[in-house]
Amino acid sequence: MSSPDPHVRAARNLTDPSPESTPENKRPRSPGNRGPVVAVTGAATGIGELLTAHLAASDAIKQVIAIDERRGEVSEATWHILDVRDPAIAEKLRGADVVVHLALDLDLETDPAARTAYNVRGTQTVLTAAAAVGVHRVVLCTSAMVYGALADNDVPLSEDAELRATAEATGVGDLLEIERLGRRAPRAHPGLNVTVVRPTVLVGGTDTALTRYFESPRLLVVAGSRPTWQFCHVEDLVTALEYAALEKIDGEFAVGCDGWLEQEEVEELSGVRRMELPSAVALGAAARLHRIGLTPSPAGDLAYTMHPWVVSVSRLHDAGWRPKWTNEEVLGALLEEAEGRHTLAGRRLGRKDATAAGAAGATVALLGAAAVVRRARKARRRI
């Protein structure tokens, strides 16, 4: 999923220049190709870019329409340059059979209100525009986080389990609202099919609170919790999205590696030791640090490192899909990506800060920062 800056509103004509949608930019197809025309939003970056390139190279796809606020690198696609909230997107979707909507902002550093405004309004506009021009399927990509991380979750969860997440973790409120819009759309627009794809912990050029967890010098474990880890490599997400675009699967389904890893297995495989904290201390400190702006992650993100939220991927299996990556392999890839990065309590540190804090570990830093907050408050009261 791409992370466009919702604050950038360049003073430009949001309709695409004619050279960018000329026939020369379309990938030559054989006359007998009768595959679908697939539009991808958020096509210039992240998952959108990977999917656009993958579909453009597929003989099963007739044409790829790529939509973003800037032109991407996939020359075989037909590009349209505009904000997905612009109602003019309807004309750009005309002729598409399927839309895969990946223009989401889930950046940890984005202002939450701006992020929600972008994500919700963009999804509303895409669903309405797609229905208006006769697109018969929209594929939405959210996250398995919508199931919620709770101590009493089944392991694994069924794909049709109740969505019990709250809006307390980064972006999860947006994802729940996007799913609500997806459920309502077919009722408001008969003939429109909405498919929802829910990846587990996404790895491969991604930056989330959960990937940053593995950038810490110690793995924070809340005492008495039962963490379980199920990863999804972006390459597997791309092939699952292709299955949805080709109508090999529909409805709501999860995508990720088979099975899961217990916390002890993660620690053994990674070689990173744990530091334990009582729940009240960890959650309280995380909430305070976020409230004063020292960390980008709200306390709600911590629940996803405490409680199980692994999920069955049986629907994709039934459709013939298999992941290419195992949990162990994705964890290895994540650790390679994290090498050289230093994060404490969800906050990225520069090299100087990391050197000073590395020996102390993430937990000590968390407690130390909380102590600083308490001292500052006491000082203000004395003034």
Side-chain angles (χ1 to χ4, degrees):
M1 286 176 278
S2 62
S3 295
D5 183 349
H7 302 293
V8 175
R9 300 293 172 262
R12 66 172 183 259
N13 183 357
L14 289 178
T15 58
D16 50 301
S18 56
E20 295 184 346
S21 49
T22 56
E24 287 78 13
N25 288 324
K26 298 179 182 178
R27 181 174 182 268
R29 301 289 180 178
S30 63
N33 190 309
R34 298 184 181 276
V37 175
V38 181
V40 180
T41 68
T45 58
I47 303 299
E49 181 179 30
L50 294 175
L51 179 65
T52 299
H54 183 79
L55 296 179
S58 173
D59 288 334
I61 304 297
K62 182 176 182 180
Q63 180 190 354
V64 180
I65 299 171
I67 297 173
D68 210 321
E69 294 186 56
R70 67 173 180 84
R71 183 185 173 89
E73 301 297 323
V74 184
S75 60
E76 298 87 354
T78 300
W79 284 90
H80 297 302
I81 313 304
L82 81 167
D83 188 315
V84 291
R85 294 170 295 180
D86 188 338
I89 195 172
E91 283 305 310
K92 311 308 177 186
L93 297 179
R94 192 175 295 279
D97 301 298
V98 179
V99 176
V100 183
H101 178 47
L102 298 175
L104 298 179
D105 182 359
L106 297 176
D107 194 312
L108 288 172
E109 311 296 340
T110 301
D111 173 74
R115 181 175 59 220
T116 296
Y118 181 88
N119 291 336
V120 174
R121 181 61 179 167
T123 302
Q124 287 175 325
T125 303
V126 167
L127 287 168
T128 302
V133 297
V135 172
H136 70 263
R137 173 176 290 225
V138 174
V139 180
L140 302 177
C141 188
T142 62
S143 168
M145 293 176 77
V146 297
Y147 290 105
L150 294 98
D152 63 349
N153 274 347
D154 291 335
V155 180
L157 288 162
S158 166
E159 288 169 286
D160 58 6
E162 179 185 357
L163 305 187
R164 297 199 290 163
T166 65
E168 295 173 353
T170 303
V172 173
D174 295 1
L175 300 179
L176 289 168
E177 179 62 16
I178 286 168
E179 293 221 3
R180 188 183 70 83
L181 292 170
R183 288 191 295 272
R184 289 177 54 190
R187 298 196 294 269
H189 308 288
L192 180 66
N193 175 292
V194 177
T195 299
V196 178
V197 184
R198 298 169 178 155
T200 56
V201 180
L202 196 57
V203 174
T206 57
D207 178 24
T208 68
L210 295 171
T211 58
R212 287 191 184 188
Y213 176 82
F214 292 91
E215 298 174 11
S216 298
R218 297 287 187 271
L219 298 180
L220 174 62
V221 176
V222 175
S225 66
R226 184 171 58 118
T228 53
W229 295 91
Q230 181 184 25
F231 299 102
C232 177
H233 196 277
V234 292
E235 292 178 359
D236 283 335
L237 175 57
V238 164
T239 58
L241 290 168
E242 179 187 29
Y243 261 60
L246 292 173
E247 304 186 51
K248 294 181 178 180
I249 187 171
D250 56 16
E252 301 165 349
F253 63 91
V255 54
C257 300
D258 292 332
W260 59 89
L261 299 174
E262 302 287 350
Q263 181 72 20
E264 292 76 13
E265 294 176 287
V266 166
E267 292 167 17
E268 182 179 354
L269 290 166
S270 67
V272 182
R273 290 179 294 172
R274 71 166 63 192
M275 294 283 284
E276 286 199 14
L277 271 184
S279 176
V281 174
L283 291 169
R288 288 192 295 272
L289 293 173
H290 180 67
R291 189 164 55 247
I292 65 173
L294 286 181
T295 63
S297 298
D301 287 342
L302 199 56
Y304 291 87
T305 70
M306 294 171 57
H307 306 305
W309 54 288
V310 301
V311 62
S312 165
V313 292
S314 60
R315 288 178 182 164
L316 270 171
H317 275 248
D318 291 345
W321 177 92
R322 295 292 184 274
K324 292 183 178 179
W325 292 73
T326 66
N327 281 302
E328 291 84 354
E329 290 168 342
V330 181
L331 175 60
L334 174 55
L335 294 171
E336 286 185 13
E337 287 187 7
E339 189 172 354
R341 297 176 183 167
H342 306 280
T343 296
L344 294 178
R347 176 174 172 262
R348 283 259 173 87
L349 300 179
R351 184 178 298 274
K352 182 177 179 181
D353 293 331
T355 300
T363 303
V364 175
L366 184 69
L367 291 174
V372 169
V373 173
R374 290 194 295 271
R375 286 197 299 270
R377 285 177 174 169
K378 289 178 181 177
R380 286 198 298 271
R381 285 197 294 267
R382 287 196 296 267
I383 295 174

